[in-house]
Amino acid sequence: MDRKEVETSSSRGHQREKQREQLILAAESRIANSGVASLRARDLAGDIGVALGSIYNLVADLDELILIVGSRTLARLDAALGEAAAAHDASKRDGAIERLIAIAHRYRAFASEHRFLWRALFEFQLAEGREVPDWVSADLKHIFRNIVEPLGTLMPRAQPEQRALMAHTLFCAVHGVVSLGLQGKMVAVPAEIVDTEVERLLRLTCAGLLQEG
Amino acid sequence: MDRKEVETSSSRGHQREKQREQLILAAESRIANSGVASLRARDLAGDIGVALGSIYNLVADLDELILIVGSRTLARLDAALGEAAAAHDASKRDGAIERLIAIAHRYRAFASEHRFLWRALFEFQLAEGREVPDWVSADLKHIFRNIVEPLGTLMPRAQPEQRALMAHTLFCAVHGVVSLGLQGKMVAVPAEIVDTEVERLLRLTCAGLLQEG
DNA sequence: GCGGGCTATGAACGATGTTCAAAATAAGAC
DNA sequence: GTCTTATTTTGAACATCGTTCATAGCCCGC
């Protein structure tokens, strides 16, 4: 409790925190290169030059590590989409539509560039009983802001909840096209075709919205 | 090679085929109840009253078993969607739209009813290097027919490839809404809300299509 | 009944995530 | 500086997996 103890524990804690960050970076690198399914505790221990058991002094288990990497991926995705959104003025009709398309294209590009990290966001299944951490909802709400804003222009009479629901629908729809298209689960679709698909989908939907008045 | 040998091998083969079917049913039951991730070779051996090693006389490995169960799921999905499609006349504009919505609603219902079997279709990742079997593409093409047909009414001037691409886009979009909505990955959405979302999405898209002429 | 090919068996192997008793290390007291 | 104590690091051990394979048993035609 005295000064020396506080200093001590903070210095130790600092060392520990450095190792923890090394571990997170190693995990991120391995996931990015080989996919989340091939993440191995023994590999990570070797990566950061530590014994196998020490991994469990730095994180509770591998699931926590995957969640942390996921939060970093979500943050990068948020930054990328925000950048794409900023390029268009959502207060004008055409700008609003172009922003939605730009976000969708950036989403597709992000999925292509960070294939394994992006897939890890959705492939990872929480162990039974564990709950999605709070930061997931928080980060997603932030991402959705970029979609809700142009919808204000395109759905001027709608209530905020209606716009929020539409933002959710559009995000999920674009995600579906990107996900099934790139993953090649049914048929592998080239990236350019996926881009034309999401653009077509958004233009048609926006046309329908504007027609409603 | 003579008759008796043929009879023999066919009777033995018959027994083998019966065990194989038992194994497939056991796997399907376990996946349906607990998800594909908790499928265990030892459990299956116990289910059909056979030694652990015998599993590998009936199928190459568990991946093959999961693929077989997947093909059965796809067949059921095809039947369900076909039934929903048959309820509407795709040659009239309103009927075409209603058919698309009915198919989407049936898709959502199928996903709800056969949660784990449906998720197994998409969660399962082929082991590195192995290819998607042919029946996947074949079954999917068949499913898509129910979507392409009403698009003929809604996109009268379009080329067949354009209609096929739009069918792909719509399927993926609806899948995205259903998948992310029901799975509760971001926010768990009640089934009824998911239904309203896909219906809204399809009505807006169809309105956009009709507006194009 | 009997001999030869096929099949079923479950012990064994190699991975894997996770735990834990013991060793090593660091901190504090004098 | 040295000793005691608390903390951390270690890697062997454990429990589960999928998968393999030598062996034992069985069924068939003869």
Side-chain angles (χ1 to χ4, degrees):
Chain A
M1 291 286 186
D2 66 12
R3 202 168 85 224
K4 282 185 178 174
E5 270 182 335
V6 167
E7 263 185 25
T8 293
S9 69
S10 108
S11 131
R12 289 240 223 166
H14 185 257
Q15 167 68 7
R16 194 194 184 79
E17 202 52 42
K18 259 177 81 174
Q19 279 191 322
R20 197 177 135 97
E21 278 172 29
Q22 277 190 280
L23 177 61
I24 292 168
L25 290 179
E28 186 171 65
S29 169
R30 286 204 172 265
I31 293 176
N33 287 326
S34 322
V36 70
S38 61
L39 197 66
R40 300 281 174 266
R42 284 166 178 80
D43 292 343
L44 292 170
D47 287 346
I48 66 174
V50 122
L52 175 58
S54 294
I55 298 289
Y56 297 89
N57 297 331
L58 301 172
V59 290
D61 50 26
L62 291 191
D63 280 7
E64 182 185 330
L65 202 45
I66 295 172
L67 281 175
I68 293 170
V69 171
S71 97
R72 293 168 56 93
T73 305
L74 261 191
R76 280 192 228 168
L77 176 62
D78 186 25
L81 297 189
E83 201 175 326
H88 297 89
D89 180 1
S91 66
K92 297 170 189 169
R93 300 223 151 154
D94 287 355
I97 297 176
E98 296 309 315
R99 173 187 283 198
L100 289 178
I101 292 170
I103 292 175
H105 283 170
R106 195 68 193 82
Y107 187 71
R108 196 279 309 157
F110 188 92
S112 295
E113 293 161 11
H114 306 93
R115 191 160 66 108
F116 285 126
L117 287 175
W118 173 72
R119 276 167 53 163
L121 286 178
F122 303 95
E123 286 176 9
F124 176 61
Q125 289 292 336
L126 285 170
E128 182 133 13
R130 295 176 63 163
E131 329 174 328
V132 179
D134 286 344
W135 50 260
V136 175
S137 311
D139 283 349
L140 286 176
K141 286 257 192 294
H142 199 256
I143 286 179
F144 273 29
R145 260 197 269 276
N146 290 322
I147 308 175
V148 171
E149 191 182 340
L151 287 182
T153 304
L154 299 173
M155 306 168 67
R157 301 189 198 285
Q159 303 291 329
E161 317 93 58
Q162 288 179 288
R163 291 201 276 257
L165 185 62
M166 180 58 66
H168 177 265
T169 306
L170 289 182
F171 177 86
C172 292
V174 169
H175 169 80
V177 177
V178 172
S179 177
L180 290 184
L182 292 185
Q183 195 161 337
K185 196 72 192 194
M186 19 189 54
V187 193
V189 181
E192 311 81 48
I193 304 285
V194 172
D195 276 349
T196 68
E197 284 188 273
V198 296
E199 179 165 353
R200 185 94 205 276
L201 180 69
L202 288 175
R203 288 201 190 280
L204 287 172
T205 310
C206 291
L209 281 178
L210 292 176
Q211 199 176 348
E212 283 182 339
Chain B
M1 292 285 186
D2 66 13
R3 201 169 83 223
K4 282 185 180 174
E5 270 182 336
V6 167
E7 263 185 24
T8 293
S9 67
S10 108
S11 132
R12 288 237 221 168
H14 185 258
Q15 167 69 7
R16 195 196 183 79
E17 202 52 42
K18 259 176 80 174
Q19 280 190 321
R20 197 177 136 97
E21 279 172 28
Q22 277 189 279
L23 176 62
I24 292 167
L25 291 180
E28 186 170 64
S29 169
R30 286 204 172 265
I31 293 177
N33 287 325
S34 323
V36 70
S38 61
L39 196 66
R40 300 282 174 265
R42 285 165 176 82
D43 291 343
L44 292 170
D47 286 347
I48 66 174
V50 122
L52 175 58
S54 294
I55 297 289
Y56 297 88
N57 295 332
L58 300 172
V59 290
D61 50 26
L62 291 192
D63 280 8
E64 182 185 330
L65 202 45
I66 295 171
L67 281 174
I68 294 170
V69 171
S71 97
R72 293 167 56 94
T73 304
L74 261 190
R76 280 192 227 168
L77 176 62
D78 185 25
L81 298 189
E83 201 176 325
H88 298 89
D89 179 1
S91 66
K92 297 170 187 168
R93 300 220 153 155
D94 287 353
I97 297 176
E98 297 308 315
R99 172 187 284 199
L100 289 177
I101 293 170
I103 292 175
H105 283 171
R106 195 67 192 82
Y107 186 71
R108 197 279 307 157
F110 188 92
S112 296
E113 291 161 12
H114 306 93
R115 190 160 67 108
F116 284 126
L117 287 175
W118 174 72
R119 275 167 52 162
L121 286 178
F122 302 96
E123 286 177 8
F124 176 62
Q125 290 292 333
L126 285 170
E128 183 132 13
R130 295 174 63 160
E131 328 173 329
V132 180
D134 286 344
W135 50 259
V136 175
S137 311
D139 282 350
L140 286 175
K141 287 259 191 293
H142 199 256
I143 286 179
F144 273 30
R145 259 197 270 274
N146 290 321
I147 308 176
V148 171
E149 192 183 341
L151 287 181
T153 303
L154 298 173
M155 306 167 68
R157 300 190 198 286
Q159 303 291 329
E161 317 93 59
Q162 289 179 286
R163 291 201 277 256
L165 185 62
M166 180 58 66
H168 177 265
T169 306
L170 289 182
F171 178 87
C172 292
V174 169
H175 169 81
V177 177
V178 172
S179 177
L180 290 185
L182 292 186
Q183 195 160 335
K185 196 72 193 193
M186 20 187 55
V187 193
V189 181
E192 310 83 48
I193 303 287
V194 172
D195 275 348
T196 69
E197 285 188 274
V198 296
E199 178 165 351
R200 185 94 205 276
L201 180 70
L202 288 175
R203 286 199 191 281
L204 287 173
T205 310
C206 290
L209 282 178
L210 292 175
Q211 198 176 350
E212 283 182 342

